[in-house]
Amino acid sequence: EINTWVGAIVGAVPPVMGWTAAGGSLLDPECVFLASSLFLWQFPHFFALSWMHRVDYARGGFQMVPCNDPTGDRTASLITRYSVYLAALPIASTMAGITSSMFAVEGLALNGYLLYRAKKFDDDRSNGNARSVFLTSLWYLPCLLGLFIFHSKNWNSDTSQKEISEKVVALREKGKALCVHEVLDKKDLCPVPHSSPSASKVE
């Protein structure tokens, strides 16, 4: 049954290879985030898939977790557990200073839906609910990584890709008009302290 964990390690290697090939270090927080995302994502993704096809795996002699889990208790627990771990990544990324706070906010919405699908499967271990978890995982990962890139603080300091950086920063500014926090802040209704660029200038 450890094949899933071994496979998850292998699956987490490609983004690390890409990061280091582009000149990054294995110890960079961005590299750790990418590897962690790919590693953790594979569990809700694959356990949902293997639950749907547990009979076929058993016939082929593959020792997958769902094949030895007739009630689905372990499978549901693993899907939920790793979904919770994934939910912590956007918050950790923001706290580490590699992304803006909006990544944590949008990550909560993204992970909230994944946890919802995991809870539905935990309540009813049907193939239909497993398929919903699996399908959610297909769009979840590109959305998570896309938001990670979009909200990366490296855009503000990247000089090698200045034209792209300027476009990303401009797009962020337009997005602020749709942000509830920004709207409330302008009306002095937001309880969260928010410092504007002008306020941080030294007189």
Side-chain angles (χ1 to χ4, degrees):
E1 293 184 359
I2 64 169
N3 52 19
T4 305
W5 282 266
V6 174
I9 295 174
V10 176
V13 170
V16 174
M17 294 173 61
W19 182 265
T20 54
S25 167
L26 286 172
L27 300 179
D28 289 342
E30 292 90 347
C31 186
V32 174
F33 174 88
L34 291 170
S36 300
S37 298
L38 267 292
F39 177 78
L40 297 174
W41 167 83
Q42 291 176 79
F43 295 101
H45 171 78
F46 187 71
F47 284 133
L49 177 65
S50 57
W51 176 262
M52 289 189 289
H53 299 289
R54 60 193 182 280
V55 175
D56 296 327
Y57 279 115
R59 287 173 179 169
F62 295 100
Q63 293 298 313
M64 316 308 295
V65 169
C67 296
N68 302 315
D69 182 26
T71 64
D73 287 344
R74 290 177 62 204
T75 305
S77 175
L78 286 167
I79 289 175
T80 301
R81 186 187 312 167
Y82 282 96
S83 296
V84 171
Y85 296 159
L86 276 169
L89 289 182
I91 299 173
S93 175
T94 298
M95 292 180 66
I98 58 179
T99 54
S100 69
S101 57
M102 283 308 300
F103 181 54
V105 174
E106 293 168 1
L108 286 175
L110 195 63
N111 286 289
Y113 186 75
L114 178 62
L115 286 167
Y116 166 74
R117 298 311 325 180
K119 179 64 167 58
K120 294 286 287 185
F121 176 73
D122 189 28
D123 293 338
D124 178 14
R125 286 79 182 265
S126 66
N127 280 356
N129 282 331
R131 185 176 295 105
S132 293
V133 174
F134 175 75
L135 293 176
T136 298
S137 72
L138 294 181
W139 58 259
Y140 170 90
L141 186 62
C143 286
L144 179 72
L145 297 182
L147 289 172
F148 172 71
I149 293 172
F150 184 73
H151 292 297
S152 171
K153 289 188 175 180
N154 286 336
W155 290 116
N156 297 327
S157 57
D158 191 349
T159 56
S160 62
Q161 299 289 339
K162 185 177 180 181
E163 184 178 349
I164 299 177
S165 298
E166 289 176 350
K167 289 181 179 179
V168 171
V169 173
L171 188 57
R172 284 181 183 169
E173 291 300 319
K174 291 182 179 179
K176 285 184 177 182
L178 304 175
C179 178
V180 175
H181 177 272
E182 294 288 341
V183 173
L184 291 177
D185 182 65
K186 290 177 182 178
K187 296 182 179 180
D188 296 325
L189 297 175
C190 182
V192 181
H194 178 77
S195 58
S196 62
S198 60
S200 60
K201 293 181 180 179
V202 178
E203 298 295 338

